Amino acid sequence: LSIRRQRQMCIRDSPESARPGSTGMCPAAQPCGPRFARISQRVLIPILLVFAGFAALYQGGNALLAGASGLARHFGLPPLLVGLTVVAFATSAPELAVSVLAAFRGTPDIAVGNVLGSNIFNTLVAVGVVALLSPVVIPKTLMRREIPLGIGATVLVGLFAWTGDGLTRIEGGFLVLVLVLVLGWMVRSAMHEKGTLEPPEESDEAEAELDAGAAMLVMGAGAGAALLDVATLSLLDFAVPGAAFLTLLNARFHVKHPTLLIRGLAILFGLGMLVLGSNALVEGAREIALSFGISEAMVGLTVVAIGTSAPELATAVAAARKGQTELALGNALGSNLFNLLAVLGVAAAIFPIEIAPSFLHRDLPVALAVSTLLLLPLMTKRRIGRAGGVAMLGLWVAYTVVLVWLELR
């Protein structure tokens, strides 16, 4: 019975096993066991790479943020300047690393999908969850500044994409120039307003535990992916787990001994983890798309976008629990602005990005509509209640369902 079942399984792969006089066993050239192992490797390794990539991006972003903020305090830079530049760049670093590497690896759909999907996720999910936890009152400054800037940046990217085959180096450089001008204007405007924008404090115990968990996930998933492909195993395959261990070790020293050297190493390790993590994530996402017949645009708009937006969601939830809904909202909107101008701008300035028609006809208009949606609270005294939060989450679910339906159609 065992031989008969094995013979039936092998017939479709090797008709020679069904010939008269055959033993019923799989031919030596195409054994079933190794074939199953190859299928398992093709599926498991990309999934492990994606998990390792997400965790590495989280760990690298935390290390970069802690080191950069610490250095800014060490040299006495104004907290407002640090909050609008260093912190904003550090929280958008995962998206930047993923999109630049995706453009370099010849997968522009992942780069563009990551940015547009992250912006839609930040606005509908991050802001929607905050509204569920505590009703949000949108400050006048956000109505006058961040929201119109986000809409304008989306329109600008759309115009560049419509007038050509994508984003050229010149257009990418122009987006970066606009970002520099916007940051200068925001800093100058904020100087004349009451209050200051403080950068995050040094990592507390809860943050350290999350960082340790991310490092363990990187080391476990990275080592697992390397060991599953023993035939091509090399020391380079353990670069990500090794870097995660060194980054975690440096983070422990940073909490107890925040010296100038330790902070500099935190920036160095953080940048390294962002590069290694984005490489693992892009490679894993691309292999998943190939293995399951899913488009790279779909992977970028969903899996990659959600993963790179996880820090913004976590920051928004933590701020909402402390009653700082304005900070949560500003973080999400500021990240959207950086994604459009910095992430797409830098990526296109280095490697021109081709934008697929599906992004132009579907996802860019959705991103613009979602940005404009935040102007509706003007009719409700600038307030987003729990019902509004539920509606925003429902819109994101509906958008994702439509994406899946279009992909499977």
Side-chain angles (χ1 to χ4, degrees):
L1 180 61
S2 175
I3 293 176
R4 186 179 303 162
R5 286 179 177 173
Q6 191 176 13
R7 182 183 182 187
Q8 291 173 352
M9 292 174 63
C10 295
I11 284 176
R12 69 173 184 271
D13 298 324
S14 180
E16 294 181 1
S17 62
R19 290 179 180 175
S22 171
T23 60
M25 301 296 291
C26 292
Q30 292 184 347
C32 290
R35 177 182 174 83
F36 176 76
R38 288 195 298 271
I39 294 175
S40 299
Q41 289 177 357
R42 196 168 65 245
V43 174
L44 288 178
I45 291 178
I47 293 176
L48 289 175
L49 285 176
V50 167
F51 277 107
F54 281 147
L57 289 175
Y58 176 82
Q59 189 185 11
N62 274 354
L64 178 62
L65 179 57
S69 298
L71 279 180
R73 291 192 187 93
H74 178 83
F75 290 108
L77 296 180
L80 176 64
L81 181 62
V82 176
L84 289 176
T85 56
V86 175
V87 175
F89 171 78
T91 54
S92 293
E95 286 92 338
L96 178 60
V98 169
S99 293
V100 170
L101 189 67
F104 174 74
R105 299 287 292 271
T107 55
D109 286 352
I110 292 181
V112 179
N114 174 38
V115 170
L116 296 180
S118 293
N119 282 16
I120 294 171
F121 183 88
N122 286 341
T123 305
L124 294 181
V125 178
V127 177
V129 169
V130 170
L132 278 178
L133 295 175
S134 177
V136 177
V137 177
I138 303 180
K140 291 182 180 179
T141 54
L142 292 183
M143 284 288 188
R144 293 197 311 261
R145 196 169 59 202
E146 275 80 3
I147 294 178
L149 283 174
I151 295 173
T154 306
V155 171
L156 182 61
V157 171
L159 287 176
F160 282 160
W162 274 102
T163 55
D165 295 330
L167 295 176
T168 64
R169 285 191 174 91
I170 295 177
E171 292 168 341
F174 184 78
L175 291 176
V176 175
L177 176 62
V178 171
L179 175 66
V180 173
L181 296 176
V182 165
L183 283 178
W185 175 63
M186 289 174 65
V187 171
R188 183 177 179 182
S189 299
M191 287 293 188
H192 299 285
E193 297 171 0
K194 294 182 179 180
T196 59
L197 179 58
E198 295 285 346
E201 297 296 329
E202 303 290 345
S203 298
D204 55 15
E205 292 184 3
E207 188 66 29
E209 291 298 325
L210 288 175
D211 196 54
M216 294 298 292
L217 180 57
V218 174
M219 290 186 281
L227 293 174
L228 276 175
D229 194 8
V230 181
T232 60
L233 190 62
S234 68
L235 290 177
L236 291 176
D237 294 322
F238 294 95
V240 176
F245 175 76
L246 292 176
T247 304
L248 178 62
L249 190 63
N250 186 76
R252 296 298 186 183
F253 278 106
H254 188 256
V255 173
K256 297 180 181 179
H257 309 286
T259 63
L260 187 63
L261 175 62
I262 295 297
R263 285 168 172 163
L265 288 175
I267 295 176
L268 181 64
F269 286 141
L271 291 172
M273 288 298 292
L274 288 175
V275 173
L276 292 172
S278 60
N279 180 64
L281 178 58
V282 171
E283 182 65 25
R286 186 174 63 175
E287 290 298 323
I288 288 175
L290 291 174
S291 298
F292 293 97
I294 304 172
S295 67
E296 293 175 350
M298 176 67 176
V299 175
L301 286 166
T302 54
V303 177
V304 178
I306 293 172
T308 55
S309 296
E312 283 84 354
L313 178 60
T315 301
V317 171
R321 286 179 176 176
K322 297 177 182 178
Q324 300 175 340
T325 55
E326 179 179 344
L327 175 61
L329 187 61
N331 178 67
L333 296 179
S335 177
N336 288 355
L337 189 62
F338 259 74
N339 285 344
L340 290 166
L341 298 180
V343 176
L344 278 182
V346 171
I350 300 175
F351 309 103
I353 297 177
E354 181 180 349
I355 298 181
S358 60
F359 290 126
L360 296 177
H361 301 141
R362 182 189 63 206
D363 305 301
L364 257 173
V366 170
L368 179 60
V370 165
S371 300
T372 309
L373 185 68
L374 292 176
L375 293 176
L376 292 181
L378 283 172
M379 297 181 292
T380 57
K381 298 182 180 180
R382 297 182 288 110
R383 185 176 183 273
I384 303 177
R386 287 186 172 86
V390 172
M392 295 175 79
L393 291 174
L395 286 175
W396 182 80
V397 172
Y399 168 71
T400 305
V401 169
V402 171
L403 284 181
V404 174
W405 177 75
L406 291 174
E407 186 70 22
L408 299 177
R409 188 178 58 176

